[in-house]
Amino acid sequence: MWPLYAAGFTTAFGAHGIAANLGGLSEDAVTSLIVLGGLLALYDGAEVLLKPVFGTLADRIGARPVMIGGLVAFSAASAAYVVADSPGWLWAARLGQGAAASAFSPSASALVARLNPTSKHGRAFGSYGFYKSIGYTLGPLLGGALVWLGGLRLLFMVMAVLGAAVAVWAALAVPHVPPLPRARQTVMDLARRLANPAFLRPTAALAGATAALSVGVGFLPVSGATAGLGTVATGAAVSVLALCAAIAQPRAGRALDAGYLTARTGIAIGLLTAATGLACAMLPGLVGVLLGAALIGIGTGLITPLGFAALAASAPQERLGQTMGSAELGREIGDAGGPLLVAAVATLGTLTYGYAALAVLLAIGPAVSLAGRRPAKLTHQASRDVS
């Protein structure tokens, strides 16, 4: 399992470590905000397009070779910029990194499910999410330190070495998991499976969690600056968010495996917690920022392992890669859609209204679920009264 955790760390570290430091490059590389936005979108755009494709390939030839191949490609794309060191190769390297992460990220998730019995999926996905959260947390910090020491080439060099090391480790330690026999699947079969509530509910929850996380990381510093807080205080708030998410994930997974929590209940609690965090972010000053960060982190930390465990439990084992790749696509949509929604509402009103809009959106799912349960309970009680 450890190479899989390392692969999760690598994709998170690669995404945030470079993204957080592209804005400080020299003028010959990032010449405008449009160029910066394009470089940031290139990585995520490749993931949106290719994750379902590589997930399907993992089902066809096995998740292990796809994961190792993706790690090797990630290392090669990073090394290309180290050797060339030109603006054009920066674009190519960033595109290559995103395409490679599209291969090894859903494959690693599928292997987490295949290498663990269903009774241990919560713990396994909780640990996997923990190390991804560590990558998201340390990426900007370590990336900034590396860029300060040796420029962007040093950061890409570390990415190349990290990708190669994890690929070798996975080749030596991860056992061969042969692909399972698959029945022929038409486009309509795929559409029906992806439209099934067993897939849609956890995927929508994962998208909502990622949206809340992205909004917290991106907009809580803005709220802090508006309240007169310095960069140290706002940076600490983002660290609190990431730390709470990292701590909550393994605990949520263990609670699921022990039977103390069901995936459906835990996801609902996580959505309501994240929505409450966004509501707290509407409060002025440091208290609102810190409360918002902590509750958003706890909420997303609850949802992530439970959502993936629910997907792994409901998906056909021979289609795990495709399922995980499609679910990752949902997360990417939430990653982009959450900040866009908050920004659009904030443009028409204020950032407070933006937080409120996303909070209401996150709370709709648990509210509908609760409303759907009450009539059933009332009907059952009425039938008992009639009897």
Side-chain angles (χ1 to χ4, degrees):
M1 290 298 296
W2 283 102
L4 304 183
Y5 299 154
F9 174 87
T10 301
T11 183
F13 184 76
H16 280 205
I18 295 176
N21 293 284
L22 283 173
L25 287 178
S26 58
E27 293 182 357
D28 62 339
V30 178
T31 55
S32 67
L33 290 176
I34 293 296
V35 173
L36 176 60
L39 284 169
L40 293 174
L42 202 58
Y43 189 99
D44 292 327
E47 289 192 309
V48 167
L49 293 175
L50 296 177
K51 275 186 174 179
V53 176
F54 281 116
T56 303
L57 180 64
D59 292 331
R60 185 181 299 274
I61 67 173
R64 181 176 178 270
V66 175
M67 183 185 72
I68 294 173
L71 287 165
V72 171
F74 184 87
S75 178
S78 303
Y81 178 72
V82 176
V83 174
D85 189 23
S86 68
W89 278 100
L90 177 60
W91 287 82
R94 197 62 179 156
L95 178 62
Q97 286 181 331
S102 304
F104 70 79
S105 181
S107 301
S109 298
L111 283 169
V112 169
R114 288 289 304 276
L115 292 176
N116 290 276
T118 304
S119 60
K120 294 184 178 180
H121 276 176
R123 186 187 300 268
F125 279 108
S127 298
Y128 181 72
F130 171 81
Y131 288 102
K132 286 192 76 170
S133 295
I134 295 298
Y136 287 131
T137 304
L138 294 182
L141 298 174
L142 292 181
L146 290 170
V147 170
W148 178 75
L149 287 173
L152 196 65
R153 290 181 71 188
L154 178 60
L155 177 56
F156 271 82
M157 183 183 299
V158 171
M159 296 287 180
V161 173
L162 178 63
V166 176
V168 172
W169 190 9
L172 295 174
V174 176
H176 175 65
V177 182
L180 297 172
R182 299 178 307 149
R184 187 173 180 274
Q185 177 181 254
T186 65
V187 175
M188 289 303 298
D189 292 333
L190 175 61
R192 279 194 294 268
R193 190 160 60 80
L194 297 185
N196 192 308
F199 173 82
L200 283 179
R201 286 172 182 158
T203 301
L206 289 168
T210 309
L213 186 66
S214 298
V215 167
V217 171
F219 289 96
L220 284 178
V222 177
S223 297
T226 303
L229 303 176
T231 55
V232 174
T234 55
V238 174
S239 298
V240 166
L241 189 156
L243 182 62
C244 289
I247 292 174
Q249 292 195 56
R251 294 176 182 272
R254 287 195 294 268
L256 177 67
D257 292 341
Y260 298 138
L261 191 67
T262 65
R264 184 169 184 174
T265 301
I267 287 173
I269 293 172
L271 287 170
L272 291 175
T273 303
T276 304
L278 289 164
C280 289
M282 298 164 62
L283 301 174
L286 181 61
V287 173
V289 172
L290 287 179
L291 275 177
L295 291 175
I296 290 171
I298 293 171
T300 56
L302 278 172
I303 295 166
T304 303
L306 302 183
F308 278 114
L311 287 168
S314 64
Q317 291 296 296
E318 69 276 10
R319 304 284 182 185
L320 266 176
Q322 187 180 69
T323 300
M324 294 302 177
S326 300
E328 291 277 2
L329 172 60
R331 294 186 76 195
E332 295 296 336
I333 292 173
D335 194 14
L340 286 175
L341 171 66
V342 171
V345 175
T347 301
L348 298 175
T350 64
L351 186 53
T352 299
Y353 290 109
Y355 289 141
L358 184 57
V360 170
L361 190 62
L362 293 182
I364 286 176
V368 170
S369 177
L370 183 62
R373 289 181 181 183
R374 283 183 175 178
K377 289 184 177 180
L378 291 174
T379 303
H380 178 66
Q381 183 62 43
S383 65
R384 289 180 60 188
D385 293 342
V386 169
S387 300

